[in-house]
PDB file of all heavy atoms in Angstrom:
ATOM      1  N   TYR U   1      22.364  95.785  87.351  1.00  0.00           N
ATOM      2  CA  TYR U   1      20.967  95.385  87.243  1.00  0.00           C
ATOM      3  C   TYR U   1      20.817  94.139  86.390  1.00  0.00           C
ATOM      4  O   TYR U   1      21.548  93.940  85.414  1.00  0.00           O
ATOM      5  CB  TYR U   1      20.145  96.500  86.601  1.00  0.00           C
ATOM      6  CG  TYR U   1      20.120  97.780  87.381  1.00  0.00           C
ATOM      7  CD1 TYR U   1      21.045  98.795  87.131  1.00  0.00           C
ATOM      8  CD2 TYR U   1      19.164  97.992  88.383  1.00  0.00           C
ATOM      9  CE1 TYR U   1      21.030  99.973  87.849  1.00  0.00           C
ATOM     10  CE2 TYR U   1      19.139  99.177  89.102  1.00  0.00           C
ATOM     11  CZ  TYR U   1      20.076 100.151  88.843  1.00  0.00           C
ATOM     12  OH  TYR U   1      20.055 101.321  89.565  1.00  0.00           O
ATOM     13  N   ALA U   2      19.836  93.334  86.750  1.00  0.00           N
ATOM     14  CA  ALA U   2      19.443  92.246  85.868  1.00  0.00           C
ATOM     15  C   ALA U   2      18.839  92.846  84.605  1.00  0.00           C
ATOM     16  O   ALA U   2      18.221  93.914  84.642  1.00  0.00           O
ATOM     17  CB  ALA U   2      18.433  91.342  86.563  1.00  0.00           C
ATOM     18  N   ASN U   3      19.017  92.156  83.503  1.00  0.00           N
ATOM     19  CA  ASN U   3      18.550  92.701  82.230  1.00  0.00           C
ATOM     20  C   ASN U   3      17.051  92.999  82.241  1.00  0.00           C
ATOM     21  O   ASN U   3      16.600  93.968  81.615  1.00  0.00           O
ATOM     22  CB  ASN U   3      18.876  91.731  81.088  1.00  0.00           C
ATOM     23  CG  ASN U   3      20.350  91.735  80.739  1.00  0.00           C
ATOM     24  OD1 ASN U   3      21.063  92.711  80.979  1.00  0.00           O
ATOM     25  ND2 ASN U   3      20.841  90.632  80.189  1.00  0.00           N
ATOM     26  N   PHE U   4      16.293  92.177  82.958  1.00  0.00           N
ATOM     27  CA  PHE U   4      14.843  92.340  82.894  1.00  0.00           C
ATOM     28  C   PHE U   4      14.333  93.558  83.661  1.00  0.00           C
ATOM     29  O   PHE U   4      13.154  93.880  83.609  1.00  0.00           O
ATOM     30  CB  PHE U   4      14.119  91.062  83.367  1.00  0.00           C
ATOM     31  CG  PHE U   4      14.544  90.550  84.710  1.00  0.00           C
ATOM     32  CD1 PHE U   4      14.073  91.136  85.880  1.00  0.00           C
ATOM     33  CD2 PHE U   4      15.418  89.483  84.812  1.00  0.00           C
ATOM     34  CE1 PHE U   4      14.465  90.661  87.117  1.00  0.00           C
ATOM     35  CE2 PHE U   4      15.826  88.989  86.051  1.00  0.00           C
ATOM     36  CZ  PHE U   4      15.338  89.583  87.211  1.00  0.00           C
ATOM     37  N   VAL U   5      15.203  94.261  84.391  1.00  0.00           N
ATOM     38  CA  VAL U   5      14.768  95.483  85.087  1.00  0.00           C
ATOM     39  C   VAL U   5      15.533  96.725  84.635  1.00  0.00           C
ATOM     40  O   VAL U   5      15.213  97.832  85.058  1.00  0.00           O
ATOM     41  CB  VAL U   5      14.887  95.355  86.621  1.00  0.00           C
ATOM     42  CG1 VAL U   5      14.067  94.179  87.122  1.00  0.00           C
ATOM     43  CG2 VAL U   5      16.342  95.266  87.057  1.00  0.00           C
ATOM     44  N   LYS U   6      16.520  96.539  83.786  1.00  0.00           N
ATOM     45  CA  LYS U   6      17.304  97.690  83.329  1.00  0.00           C
ATOM     46  C   LYS U   6      16.416  98.737  82.680  1.00  0.00           C
ATOM     47  O   LYS U   6      15.555  98.427  81.859  1.00  0.00           O
ATOM     48  CB  LYS U   6      18.372  97.232  82.335  1.00  0.00           C
ATOM     49  CG  LYS U   6      19.615  96.675  82.981  1.00  0.00           C
ATOM     50  CD  LYS U   6      20.675  96.323  81.949  1.00  0.00           C
ATOM     51  CE  LYS U   6      21.914  95.761  82.598  1.00  0.00           C
ATOM     52  NZ  LYS U   6      22.936  95.358  81.606  1.00  0.00           N
ATOM     53  N   GLY U   7      16.629  99.988  83.087  1.00  0.00           N
ATOM     54  CA  GLY U   7      15.842 101.086  82.539  1.00  0.00           C
ATOM     55  C   GLY U   7      14.532 101.315  83.254  1.00  0.00           C
ATOM     56  O   GLY U   7      13.863 102.320  83.002  1.00  0.00           O
ATOM     57  N   ARG U   8      14.142 100.390  84.122  1.00  0.00           N
ATOM     58  CA  ARG U   8      12.873 100.530  84.852  1.00  0.00           C
ATOM     59  C   ARG U   8      13.088 100.671  86.350  1.00  0.00           C
ATOM     60  O   ARG U   8      12.360 101.395  87.022  1.00  0.00           O
ATOM     61  CB  ARG U   8      11.970  99.329  84.582  1.00  0.00           C
ATOM     62  CG  ARG U   8      11.609  99.132  83.124  1.00  0.00           C
ATOM     63  CD  ARG U   8      10.552  98.043  82.960  1.00  0.00           C
ATOM     64  NE  ARG U   8      10.979  96.733  83.427  1.00  0.00           N
ATOM     65  CZ  ARG U   8      10.354  96.027  84.374  1.00  0.00           C
ATOM     66  NH1 ARG U   8       9.254  96.504  84.932  1.00  0.00           N
ATOM     67  NH2 ARG U   8      10.811  94.829  84.729  1.00  0.00           N
ATOM     68  N   PHE U   9      14.060  99.949  86.897  1.00  0.00           N
ATOM     69  CA  PHE U   9      14.328  99.960  88.332  1.00  0.00           C
ATOM     70  C   PHE U   9      15.612 100.723  88.620  1.00  0.00           C
ATOM     71  O   PHE U   9      16.557 100.694  87.821  1.00  0.00           O
ATOM     72  CB  PHE U   9      14.486  98.544  88.863  1.00  0.00           C
ATOM     73  CG  PHE U   9      13.232  97.698  88.867  1.00  0.00           C
ATOM     74  CD1 PHE U   9      12.069  98.110  88.232  1.00  0.00           C
ATOM     75  CD2 PHE U   9      13.226  96.467  89.527  1.00  0.00           C
ATOM     76  CE1 PHE U   9      10.928  97.335  88.241  1.00  0.00           C
ATOM     77  CE2 PHE U   9      12.099  95.675  89.547  1.00  0.00           C
ATOM     78  CZ  PHE U   9      10.947  96.108  88.893  1.00  0.00           C
ATOM     79  N   THR U  10      15.641 101.360  89.778  1.00  0.00           N
ATOM     80  CA  THR U  10      16.846 102.069  90.217  1.00  0.00           C
ATOM     81  C   THR U  10      17.134 101.718  91.666  1.00  0.00           C
ATOM     82  O   THR U  10      16.274 101.885  92.530  1.00  0.00           O
ATOM     83  CB  THR U  10      16.677 103.587  90.091  1.00  0.00           C
ATOM     84  OG1 THR U  10      16.377 103.925  88.733  1.00  0.00           O
ATOM     85  CG2 THR U  10      17.954 104.300  90.511  1.00  0.00           C
ATOM     86  N   ILE U  11      18.348 101.244  91.913  1.00  0.00           N
ATOM     87  CA  ILE U  11      18.770 100.950  93.273  1.00  0.00           C
ATOM     88  C   ILE U  11      19.607 102.109  93.788  1.00  0.00           C
ATOM     89  O   ILE U  11      20.397 102.703  93.043  1.00  0.00           O
ATOM     90  CB  ILE U  11      19.555  99.616  93.328  1.00  0.00           C
ATOM     91  CG1 ILE U  11      19.821  99.197  94.777  1.00  0.00           C
ATOM     92  CG2 ILE U  11      20.858  99.707  92.533  1.00  0.00           C
ATOM     93  CD1 ILE U  11      20.396  97.793  94.907  1.00  0.00           C
ATOM     94  N   SER U  12      19.421 102.428  95.056  1.00  0.00           N
ATOM     95  CA  SER U  12      20.194 103.501  95.675  1.00  0.00           C
ATOM     96  C   SER U  12      20.374 103.179  97.150  1.00  0.00           C
ATOM     97  O   SER U  12      19.752 102.247  97.670  1.00  0.00           O
ATOM     98  CB  SER U  12      19.498 104.853  95.497  1.00  0.00           C
ATOM     99  OG  SER U  12      18.219 104.845  96.108  1.00  0.00           O
ATOM    100  N   ARG U  13      21.202 103.948  97.823  1.00  0.00           N
ATOM    101  CA  ARG U  13      21.447 103.697  99.231  1.00  0.00           C
ATOM    102  C   ARG U  13      21.700 104.992  99.966  1.00  0.00           C
ATOM    103  O   ARG U  13      22.181 105.975  99.397  1.00  0.00           O
ATOM    104  CB  ARG U  13      22.625 102.737  99.410  1.00  0.00           C
ATOM    105  CG  ARG U  13      23.959 103.248  98.885  1.00  0.00           C
ATOM    106  CD  ARG U  13      25.016 102.137  98.878  1.00  0.00           C
ATOM    107  NE  ARG U  13      25.459 101.798 100.221  1.00  0.00           N
ATOM    108  CZ  ARG U  13      26.144 100.699 100.526  1.00  0.00           C
ATOM    109  NH1 ARG U  13      26.436  99.827  99.574  1.00  0.00           N
ATOM    110  NH2 ARG U  13      26.533 100.466 101.769  1.00  0.00           N
ATOM    111  N   ASP U  14      21.384 104.958 101.256  1.00  0.00           N
ATOM    112  CA  ASP U  14      21.686 106.058 102.160  1.00  0.00           C
ATOM    113  C   ASP U  14      22.586 105.485 103.236  1.00  0.00           C
ATOM    114  O   ASP U  14      22.123 104.773 104.137  1.00  0.00           O
ATOM    115  CB  ASP U  14      20.392 106.619 102.755  1.00  0.00           C
ATOM    116  CG  ASP U  14      20.627 107.835 103.635  1.00  0.00           C
ATOM    117  OD1 ASP U  14      21.731 107.951 104.217  1.00  0.00           O
ATOM    118  OD2 ASP U  14      19.709 108.651 103.774  1.00  0.00           O
ATOM    119  N   ASN U  15      23.864 105.757 103.127  1.00  0.00           N
ATOM    120  CA  ASN U  15      24.823 105.150 104.051  1.00  0.00           C
ATOM    121  C   ASN U  15      24.626 105.624 105.489  1.00  0.00           C
ATOM    122  O   ASN U  15      24.876 104.867 106.426  1.00  0.00           O
ATOM    123  CB  ASN U  15      26.245 105.448 103.589  1.00  0.00           C
ATOM    124  CG  ASN U  15      26.585 104.732 102.289  1.00  0.00           C
ATOM    125  OD1 ASN U  15      26.072 103.649 102.010  1.00  0.00           O
ATOM    126  ND2 ASN U  15      27.457 105.336 101.489  1.00  0.00           N
ATOM    127  N   ALA U  16      24.173 106.833 105.654  1.00  0.00           N
ATOM    128  CA  ALA U  16      23.954 107.344 107.006  1.00  0.00           C
ATOM    129  C   ALA U  16      22.834 106.597 107.713  1.00  0.00           C
ATOM    130  O   ALA U  16      22.821 106.501 108.944  1.00  0.00           O
ATOM    131  CB  ALA U  16      23.638 108.834 106.957  1.00  0.00           C
ATOM    132  N   LYS U  17      21.920 106.065 106.930  1.00  0.00           N
ATOM    133  CA  LYS U  17      20.778 105.342 107.500  1.00  0.00           C
ATOM    134  C   LYS U  17      20.901 103.834 107.325  1.00  0.00           C
ATOM    135  O   LYS U  17      19.982 103.094 107.699  1.00  0.00           O
ATOM    136  CB  LYS U  17      19.480 105.821 106.843  1.00  0.00           C
ATOM    137  CG  LYS U  17      19.158 107.284 107.092  1.00  0.00           C
ATOM    138  CD  LYS U  17      17.857 107.671 106.409  1.00  0.00           C
ATOM    139  CE  LYS U  17      17.519 109.126 106.665  1.00  0.00           C
ATOM    140  NZ  LYS U  17      16.254 109.529 105.997  1.00  0.00           N
ATOM    141  N   ASN U  18      21.998 103.377 106.729  1.00  0.00           N
ATOM    142  CA  ASN U  18      22.162 101.943 106.439  1.00  0.00           C
ATOM    143  C   ASN U  18      20.940 101.383 105.725  1.00  0.00           C
ATOM    144  O   ASN U  18      20.426 100.310 106.070  1.00  0.00           O
ATOM    145  CB  ASN U  18      22.431 101.148 107.723  1.00  0.00           C
ATOM    146  CG  ASN U  18      23.807 101.415 108.300  1.00  0.00           C
ATOM    147  OD1 ASN U  18      24.755 101.705 107.566  1.00  0.00           O
ATOM    148  ND2 ASN U  18      23.927 101.358 109.611  1.00  0.00           N
ATOM    149  N   THR U  19      20.486 102.113 104.750  1.00  0.00           N
ATOM    150  CA  THR U  19      19.250 101.774 104.055  1.00  0.00           C
ATOM    151  C   THR U  19      19.494 101.674 102.553  1.00  0.00           C
ATOM    152  O   THR U  19      20.218 102.504 101.980  1.00  0.00           O
ATOM    153  CB  THR U  19      18.162 102.816 104.339  1.00  0.00           C
ATOM    154  OG1 THR U  19      17.899 102.826 105.751  1.00  0.00           O
ATOM    155  CG2 THR U  19      16.877 102.488 103.604  1.00  0.00           C
ATOM    156  N   VAL U  20      18.875 100.685 101.955  1.00  0.00           N
ATOM    157  CA  VAL U  20      18.921 100.524 100.498  1.00  0.00           C
ATOM    158  C   VAL U  20      17.496 100.649  99.973  1.00  0.00           C
ATOM    159  O   VAL U  20      16.540 100.230 100.639  1.00  0.00           O
ATOM    160  CB  VAL U  20      19.552  99.175 100.099  1.00  0.00           C
ATOM    161  CG1 VAL U  20      18.780  97.982 100.639  1.00  0.00           C
ATOM    162  CG2 VAL U  20      19.731  99.075  98.583  1.00  0.00           C
ATOM    163  N   TYR U  21      17.383 101.248  98.802  1.00  0.00           N
ATOM    164  CA  TYR U  21      16.093 101.483  98.183  1.00  0.00           C
ATOM    165  C   TYR U  21      16.043 100.810  96.803  1.00  0.00           C
ATOM    166  O   TYR U  21      17.075 100.616  96.165  1.00  0.00           O
ATOM    167  CB  TYR U  21      15.842 102.981  98.008  1.00  0.00           C
ATOM    168  CG  TYR U  21      15.954 103.773  99.265  1.00  0.00           C
ATOM    169  CD1 TYR U  21      17.146 104.426  99.596  1.00  0.00           C
ATOM    170  CD2 TYR U  21      14.881 103.887 100.149  1.00  0.00           C
ATOM    171  CE1 TYR U  21      17.265 105.157 100.761  1.00  0.00           C
ATOM    172  CE2 TYR U  21      14.993 104.624 101.322  1.00  0.00           C
ATOM    173  CZ  TYR U  21      16.184 105.256 101.619  1.00  0.00           C
ATOM    174  OH  TYR U  21      16.296 105.978 102.779  1.00  0.00           O
ATOM    175  N   LEU U  22      14.819 100.528  96.383  1.00  0.00           N
ATOM    176  CA  LEU U  22      14.612 100.061  95.015  1.00  0.00           C
ATOM    177  C   LEU U  22      13.399 100.801  94.456  1.00  0.00           C
ATOM    178  O   LEU U  22      12.269 100.546  94.880  1.00  0.00           O
ATOM    179  CB  LEU U  22      14.378  98.551  94.960  1.00  0.00           C
ATOM    180  CG  LEU U  22      14.298  97.971  93.539  1.00  0.00           C
ATOM    181  CD1 LEU U  22      15.669  98.059  92.855  1.00  0.00           C
ATOM    182  CD2 LEU U  22      13.828  96.509  93.576  1.00  0.00           C
ATOM    183  N   GLN U  23      13.668 101.734  93.573  1.00  0.00           N
ATOM    184  CA  GLN U  23      12.602 102.450  92.895  1.00  0.00           C
ATOM    185  C   GLN U  23      12.210 101.635  91.668  1.00  0.00           C
ATOM    186  O   GLN U  23      13.048 101.367  90.800  1.00  0.00           O
ATOM    187  CB  GLN U  23      13.073 103.839  92.470  1.00  0.00           C
ATOM    188  CG  GLN U  23      12.045 104.634  91.687  1.00  0.00           C
ATOM    189  CD  GLN U  23      10.827 105.001  92.506  1.00  0.00           C
ATOM    190  OE1 GLN U  23      10.959 105.430  93.654  1.00  0.00           O
ATOM    191  NE2 GLN U  23       9.644 104.840  91.934  1.00  0.00           N
ATOM    192  N   MET U  24      10.944 101.243  91.622  1.00  0.00           N
ATOM    193  CA  MET U  24      10.463 100.397  90.535  1.00  0.00           C
ATOM    194  C   MET U  24       9.426 101.162  89.726  1.00  0.00           C
ATOM    195  O   MET U  24       8.367 101.523  90.253  1.00  0.00           O
ATOM    196  CB  MET U  24       9.856  99.107  91.098  1.00  0.00           C
ATOM    197  CG  MET U  24      10.808  98.340  92.020  1.00  0.00           C
ATOM    198  SD  MET U  24      10.148  96.760  92.566  1.00  0.00           S
ATOM    199  CE  MET U  24       8.779  97.330  93.570  1.00  0.00           C
ATOM    200  N   ASN U  25       9.734 101.419  88.487  1.00  0.00           N
ATOM    201  CA  ASN U  25       8.833 102.126  87.580  1.00  0.00           C
ATOM    202  C   ASN U  25       8.417 101.200  86.444  1.00  0.00           C
ATOM    203  O   ASN U  25       9.034 100.160  86.204  1.00  0.00           O
ATOM    204  CB  ASN U  25       9.523 103.362  87.009  1.00  0.00           C
ATOM    205  CG  ASN U  25       9.918 104.364  88.063  1.00  0.00           C
ATOM    206  OD1 ASN U  25       9.253 104.494  89.097  1.00  0.00           O
ATOM    207  ND2 ASN U  25      10.997 105.085  87.817  1.00  0.00           N
ATOM    208  N   SER U  26       7.371 101.605  85.753  1.00  0.00           N
ATOM    209  CA  SER U  26       6.873 100.837  84.602  1.00  0.00           C
ATOM    210  C   SER U  26       6.716  99.357  84.957  1.00  0.00           C
ATOM    211  O   SER U  26       7.166  98.471  84.223  1.00  0.00           O
ATOM    212  CB  SER U  26       7.832 100.991  83.414  1.00  0.00           C
ATOM    213  OG  SER U  26       7.972 102.346  83.050  1.00  0.00           O
ATOM    214  N   LEU U  27       6.077  99.112  86.073  1.00  0.00           N
ATOM    215  CA  LEU U  27       5.950  97.745  86.557  1.00  0.00           C
ATOM    216  C   LEU U  27       5.117  96.901  85.608  1.00  0.00           C
ATOM    217  O   LEU U  27       4.134  97.364  85.014  1.00  0.00           O
ATOM    218  CB  LEU U  27       5.343  97.734  87.954  1.00  0.00           C
ATOM    219  CG  LEU U  27       6.335  98.119  89.060  1.00  0.00           C
ATOM    220  CD1 LEU U  27       5.621  98.554  90.321  1.00  0.00           C
ATOM    221  CD2 LEU U  27       7.270  96.951  89.349  1.00  0.00           C
ATOM    222  N   LYS U  28       5.523  95.646  85.493  1.00  0.00           N
ATOM    223  CA  LYS U  28       4.859  94.689  84.623  1.00  0.00           C
ATOM    224  C   LYS U  28       4.250  93.554  85.460  1.00  0.00           C
ATOM    225  O   LYS U  28       4.661  93.344  86.614  1.00  0.00           O
ATOM    226  CB  LYS U  28       5.866  94.087  83.632  1.00  0.00           C
ATOM    227  CG  LYS U  28       6.593  95.102  82.782  1.00  0.00           C
ATOM    228  CD  LYS U  28       7.639  94.419  81.907  1.00  0.00           C
ATOM    229  CE  LYS U  28       8.398  95.415  81.050  1.00  0.00           C
ATOM    230  NZ  LYS U  28       9.416  94.754  80.193  1.00  0.00           N
ATOM    231  N   LEU U  29       3.323  92.842  84.881  1.00  0.00           N
ATOM    232  CA  LEU U  29       2.702  91.721  85.586  1.00  0.00           C
ATOM    233  C   LEU U  29       3.757  90.738  86.078  1.00  0.00           C
ATOM    234  O   LEU U  29       3.652  90.207  87.197  1.00  0.00           O
ATOM    235  CB  LEU U  29       1.710  91.008  84.672  1.00  0.00           C
ATOM    236  CG  LEU U  29       0.496  91.801  84.211  1.00  0.00           C
ATOM    237  CD1 LEU U  29      -0.363  90.955  83.283  1.00  0.00           C
ATOM    238  CD2 LEU U  29      -0.314  92.285  85.397  1.00  0.00           C
TER     239      LEU U  29
END
């Protein structure tokens, strides 16, 4: 992760679906 999103964003993937996700919490302006 880039430092500016560490602890707030989570990347994950579903290989069966060839899909990547980005869960973004505590969003800032």
Side-chain angles (χ1 to χ4, degrees):
Y1 298 93
N3 286 335
F4 53 79
V5 302
K6 278 184 180 178
R8 300 188 299 122
F9 292 10
T10 302
I11 188 171
S12 61
R13 62 190 288 165
D14 184 332
N15 292 330
K17 297 180 179 180
N18 289 330
T19 299
V20 60
Y21 305 96
L22 186 68
Q23 177 66 44
M24 305 185 294
N25 298 329
S26 301
L27 283 160
K28 303 176 181 180
L29 296 179

